[in-house]
Amino acid sequence: MQNSTLKRLEKAGEIAQSAGRLAVNYFAKRGHLTIDNKGLQDRVTEADQAVEQLIFEQITAAFPEDGFLGEETSPDRPTKLVDKGTWVVDPIDGTDCFIYGMPNWCISIAWVQHGKPTVGVIYDPVHDELFSAAIGQGAKVNGNSMKVSDTTELAGGMTGMGYSTRVESTTILVPLQRLIKGGGMFNRTGSAALSLAWVADGRLIAYYEPHLNSWDCLAGIVLVREAGGRVNNFLAGDGLTNGNPILACAPGIADKMEIVSQLEVD
Ligand code: LIP
């Protein structure tokens, strides 16, 4: 692995844990947070802003030559896309779970080089689990190797499913019906990033969502691929800036999940 990639993997883990400590402090006072609505069922809090600011400051101090794309982009954190390396960040993925006091939320930090997700780090501060991976280096959780499920049947575990009002309800209801008819069972955590980390660790056998933004899933894509899983070409077209559907799954059910989702894994 290139030294530059190794440096970014190590630093991303440190930054994610630093951001997690700040996020947990906000989580403890969630009843008093300023909450804004970005759209129907799409909220953002002062915690999201503060955590993204911390991540932005620490990344730009360490790697000033890199680009930055954050979910909560602002004049203080302008979007800057750099082909040689751009950080793609969701400061709190699972914001609704965070707001309502549920533990399914995380910090998601990805580094994309020449259009390829190269480093992925997801930190779950509530359970102190650091999921990390870089291309060619495998995937780990708290330093222990991870691998996807070895199931060959949809009935062999739970499939994560996500939905947002960014797309029509049929885009989730029809795949959900196909999954159930195929013997599968759905699980919605409210955090795509955490769900993808759980696919990488074999806790879920797949994850599908009809639309995600890049900051929700690029770190998880690196984790799943390095843990032996299969993923669709999420960055096709303008996926980096406008998002796309996502399918990530154990290799043994790739054919079945392609039918459920009508997506192709690479
Ligand atoms: C969330 C995703 C989730 C999706 C939600 C939202 P956020 O990200 O992780 O899978 O269904 O609509 O986009 O907004 O909590 O960072």
Side-chain angles (χ1 to χ4, degrees), residues 76-238:
D76 295 335
R77 301 182 296 275
T79 297
K80 182 177 84 170
L81 304 180
V82 173
D83 183 60
K84 285 182 72 176
T86 294
W87 295 88
V88 183
V89 172
D90 191 334
I92 296 176
D93 187 72
T95 297
D96 283 353
C97 296
F98 184 93
I99 291 169
Y100 298 116
M102 292 176 273
N104 296 343
W105 56 272
C106 62
I107 317 288
S108 182
I109 299 176
W111 186 61
V112 179
Q113 188 179 47
H114 304 315
K116 190 164 188 178
T118 302
V119 169
V121 168
I122 290 173
Y123 182 52
D124 169 353
V126 173
H127 302 99
D128 191 24
E129 288 194 303
L130 181 66
F131 303 89
S132 60
I135 286 183
Q137 295 304 308
K140 296 181 178 177
V141 53
N142 289 354
N144 301 310
S145 292
M146 293 195 290
K147 72 178 184 66
V148 294
S149 168
D150 58 8
T151 188
T152 58
E153 297 298 334
L154 293 181
M158 288 189 287
T159 293
M161 303 277 273
Y163 172 72
S164 72
T165 59
R166 297 186 293 268
V167 290
E168 287 299 318
S169 60
T170 50
T171 61
I172 189 68
L173 294 175
V174 174
L176 186 57
Q177 190 173 44
R178 292 193 196 109
L179 176 75
I180 293 169
K181 283 188 173 177
M185 179 48 70
F186 61 93
N187 171 286
R188 184 179 194 267
T189 66
S191 168
L194 196 56
S195 298
L196 289 165
W198 289 357
V199 172
D201 198 31
R203 305 180 199 182
L204 292 173
I205 61 175
Y207 188 76
Y208 165 75
E209 185 153 353
H211 180 273
L212 271 183
N213 288 301
S214 56
W215 45 78
D216 297 315
C217 63
L218 289 187
I221 286 171
V222 184
L223 291 171
V224 171
R225 283 186 171 139
E226 287 302 311
R230 306 277 301 276
V231 186
N232 70 307
N233 181 16
F234 177 84
L235 287 179
D238 57 1

Side-chain angles (χ1 to χ4, degrees), residues 19-34 45-52 54 92 98-99 105:
R21 288 189 287 273
L22 177 62
V24 163
N25 289 341
Y26 277 105
F27 190 53
K29 55 186 182 181
R30 59 189 172 273
H32 306 286
L33 294 179
T34 303
T45 75
E46 63 187 280
D48 297 82
Q49 303 286 1
V51 171
E52 185 165 312
L54 178 149
I92 296 176
F98 184 93
I99 291 169
W105 56 272

